[in-house]
Amino acid sequence: MINFGSLAKAAGGDVPATLEELFKQLDRKATHTGLRPAQLAALAALDQQIEHKDVIMKLSTGSGKTVLGLLYAEMMRRKYKGEPVVYLCPTNQLADQVVETGRLIGVKVSTFPSKGLPYEALSGDAVLACTYDRLFNANSVFESKSIRPSAVVMDDVHAGAERIRKAYTVQVPAAVFPALRALLEPLCNATDAATWAGIVRGDAGSTYEVPYWVWSQVCGAVARLMADSIDQPPLLFTWGNIARYLELTRCCISGVAAEIALHIPPVEEVAAYAGAKHRLFMSASIKDSSGMIAALGCSPEAYQHLIEPKEDEGAGERMILPTSLINSESEKHEIAAACAVLATKTNVVVLTTSASQAAVWTATGAVLSQGSDFDGMLETLRTTTGNYVVFAQRFDGVDLPDDACRVLVIDGVPGGDRIIDRIDAYRQKDSPEYEVRTVNKFEQALGRAVRSSADFATVLLVGADIAAFIGRKNVAGLLEERTRRQVELGQELARLPDHAGKSIGVVIQDLAQALLDRNEGWRHAHKTRVAVTDKQVRDTALTPYEAGALAMREAWNMAKAKNSQGAVARLRDAAGANLLHPIQKAELLYWVATYQHQFDPGQAAEVYKAVFGLNTKFPRPQQTPDKRFARMTDQAVALCGVFGVFGSPNAALARVDEVKAKLAFANEAEMVERGLHELGELLGAASSRPEKETGRGPDVLWLFDDCGTCIEAKSEKTAPIHKTDAAQLLLSGTWCDEQIVAGTPKPVLVFATNVTSADRPEDIAFGPRLMPESVLMDLVDRLRKVLMSLTYDGPLFTDPGTVAAKLREQGITGAAIVARLAVMKS
């Protein structure tokens, strides 16, 4: 007989009183699976906020966030019967893992099939797992099919925010790029001629953001240029997201590509997201909420109830080795060769900041994985060993548990892969905003290989830039406590005398093998040094940057509704807040000027001059009075200030090595100019880039206590000095006479070049000095010796008298540096 009575049961099951009770009701396939203390604490906190719209939960990698997210989703599915519930992931691979986790704990999860729709999930009979891209693209099936979830769970939410920003970023098609560049060049060249020279040459490293006053003139013409491409991928999935607000977008260009993006993604217009009754934001690392506020529209009130269980034990066992501290003279190819040897025994995964940076790793046998083969390579790593793989720009959203990755290499400071990300990093590098954002990416990258408290891996930090970054005192303070202790332990391990006389390759192999062999001495040291018994949770008050992000989103909502006056007032108020870093203030004021340009261009120009005064890395204003350049303090005091931000001499040395890499004349001209400017700062000069800041003057100006150098960089030059080069240097010298504060010693005129001759002797009769690459490298080496000697002479970087003596010993006082520059002979 047919049991029709069974049909009377609710399809979704009963709604239990608590999430823990729900877990007990589930038909789990893995019978040994239980909830850990941190999970139980998190569920109890979630129960307290079950009626809230926005909830934020922080749990370390491997602490079971996916299970908790699925329990929350299942509770919502039962509570709102017949309505879909969506679980968002950064990648398809992670969505598939959610489906499998659901199967194991007894929560039914579906995902999008290769064809058709996941009807079971859309009718509310299963949780729907999919990527952020599915929901936020301009052709989203959620909108076309009017799918309206009752709840949205967001896993790896910081990676998700990056995916959303990309959904609101249009990559200008290659066929359109030349026409766009030609349109912009005559309008933008005057604001930054040096950068535009690089863009015209096709330099990928020359990047520029089109100022708002130019963009307002040309955005309509740009739309017409793009018209034939908007119905084809990839623009099919992005153009519709920004087209409505084109005049409020950012346009950024390099020598090879261009992007157009909204700085605040209007996620409030995505009905499937904004209309959800409940939204759960989950991450392993939450340094601040600014990204979630600005990109995701998360309510800042959610931070007053942040779920961060003290029972969370943190990440597993990581041997974090900054290779620059093991041997600062080591070359990257030596490290790559050592990794190739390790890859014969285990899986080695390299994360780089770009595909071009992968070359040194592929040269030793690594396979570069990108594009469509990404998921397949992850499956290979999960199921086999002996693999050596490079991923470019995959610092988050990738799970490599257990044997999938026992050696992880992070090559360079993690950052975004958009042109806009590179511009922001350059413009904001010295601000708390940049440090917080980068620390979050760094911790996300560290978590790729260790996915549970029982997991373990060696993590190699490669490059002077990343060693210098983690060595900064304030950066160390931003790290999670367990991560900070692992980094400190790795720094001590790198300095052990046992490594004396050994090559970097041998040291890396020995240490990584000790971890693979589960060496008892190492395990005891890690357990003893890394255990956190007094875990601190973050303050629930908004940081100045978070408050700024909230102001940006609120101003955006006004500006898009044509209430530019309201937007200006909101941002002006935020820019006047106490404790706001000047660089962060400049970012807020830039948008004050952008919005004010809509109704008062003249006043907007005045605001923009204030922006440029706070941060000269913005394009120059339309009209800028020359500023007066002056020596501000003596060399030793300035040097102490520059290096005082570092917590150890090795971190300071890594910063010197980072600048040294920029000074190689094989680099693009813009990179060498940056290196010259930064070297001047490290040497204790008042260093500036007048031509870039004012449109006149030398490429780089160093002012010491009793002398200075007016530098024209000709690093790319191989032919003899031409009369136009000589005239340019003479003109820069005249500018110095006019613009340097009275009483400041006149700087000598210098060519930074390897060229030693001129076309005609009379062109260089004024006696310019030469600063070849060899001299620059020697200056760097002498500066390193100063820093190394300070480690044996009392307090580090706190005694200007000692520093001054060391500068004299090494011959790198300002006067000694000038004296070393040979006069170019005619």
Side-chain angles (χ1 to χ4, degrees), residues 169-189:
T169 301
V170 168
Q171 304 291 331
V172 174
V176 176
F177 175 72
L180 175 66
R181 182 177 58 191
L183 175 67
L184 294 174
E185 182 187 359
L187 299 172
C188 299
N189 183 66

Side-chain angles (χ1 to χ4, degrees), residues 286-572:
I286 299 178
K287 292 294 161 290
D288 72 344
S289 64
S290 54
M292 284 185 276
I293 291 171
L296 298 171
C298 177
S299 168
E301 285 76 22
Y303 268 81
Q304 297 174 11
H305 309 285
L306 173 68
I307 298 173
E308 187 177 3
K310 290 191 175 182
E311 295 83 353
D312 185 0
E313 295 181 357
E317 182 185 322
R318 297 184 296 206
M319 181 188 284
I320 301 176
L321 300 173
T323 57
S324 291
L325 303 189
I326 297 174
N327 183 347
S328 60
E329 304 298 326
S330 62
E331 299 290 341
K332 193 179 293 186
H333 67 83
E334 299 176 78
I335 301 168
C339 289
V341 175
L342 288 169
T344 62
K345 310 169 187 177
T346 188
N347 283 344
V348 178
V349 175
V350 183
L351 305 179
T352 69
T353 57
S354 67
S356 61
Q357 197 169 328
V360 69
W361 305 99
T362 56
T364 56
V367 176
L368 175 60
S369 176
Q370 54 187 342
S372 59
D373 70 338
F374 173 67
D375 288 340
M377 183 56 71
L378 290 179
E379 182 63 22
T380 298
L381 289 167
R382 286 198 301 268
T383 56
T384 63
T385 57
N387 299 291
Y388 187 15
V389 180
V390 185
F391 293 116
Q393 279 299 337
R394 290 283 185 175
F395 293 109
D396 49 26
V398 179
D399 280 358
L400 300 167
D402 304 320
D403 289 339
C405 178
R406 291 300 185 196
V407 178
L408 177 69
V409 181
I410 302 177
D411 181 9
V413 177
D417 59 350
R418 300 180 303 167
I419 299 172
I420 289 171
D421 297 326
R422 300 207 302 272
I423 287 174
D424 286 345
Y426 169 65
R427 203 160 75 190
Q428 301 168 17
K429 186 173 183 180
D430 295 319
S431 72
E433 167 190 343
Y434 170 81
E435 289 172 349
V436 167
R437 189 169 64 236
T438 307
V439 163
N440 199 77
K441 286 182 177 293
F442 174 64
E443 290 197 325
Q444 292 286 335
L446 288 177
R448 295 310 93 207
V450 178
R451 306 301 300 173
S452 73
S453 57
D455 203 353
F456 59 91
T458 299
V459 182
L460 305 180
L461 306 181
V462 178
D465 59 342
I466 197 166
F469 179 75
I470 65 170
R472 294 175 70 93
K473 294 176 184 175
N474 46 343
V475 167
L478 288 171
L479 292 170
E480 295 289 333
E481 180 65 17
R482 187 176 176 89
T483 301
R484 183 182 65 78
R485 295 188 184 191
Q486 288 176 327
V487 168
E488 290 175 350
L489 180 59
Q491 290 171 330
E492 291 183 32
L493 189 58
R495 293 192 291 265
L496 286 178
D498 308 56
H499 309 321
K502 296 181 180 178
S503 69
I504 185 70
V506 170
V507 174
I508 287 172
Q509 291 177 56
D510 287 349
L511 292 174
Q513 191 62 52
L515 182 114
L516 289 172
D517 293 341
R518 314 307 295 128
N519 180 277
E520 286 299 327
W522 157 254
R523 293 180 68 185
H524 177 70
H526 185 276
K527 183 177 180 180
T528 303
R529 292 287 303 279
V530 174
V532 178
T533 57
D534 55 345
K535 182 178 177 181
Q536 302 294 313
V537 296
R538 62 153 280 165
D539 189 350
T540 56
L542 293 183
T543 65
Y545 181 46
E546 290 168 341
L550 179 60
M552 290 283 275
R553 175 155 283 283
E554 291 177 349
W556 156 255
N557 285 327
M558 296 176 191
K560 74 171 188 176
K562 298 293 185 181
N563 180 11
S564 297
Q565 292 92 334
V568 166
R570 179 67 182 91
L571 289 176
R572 278 190 181 278

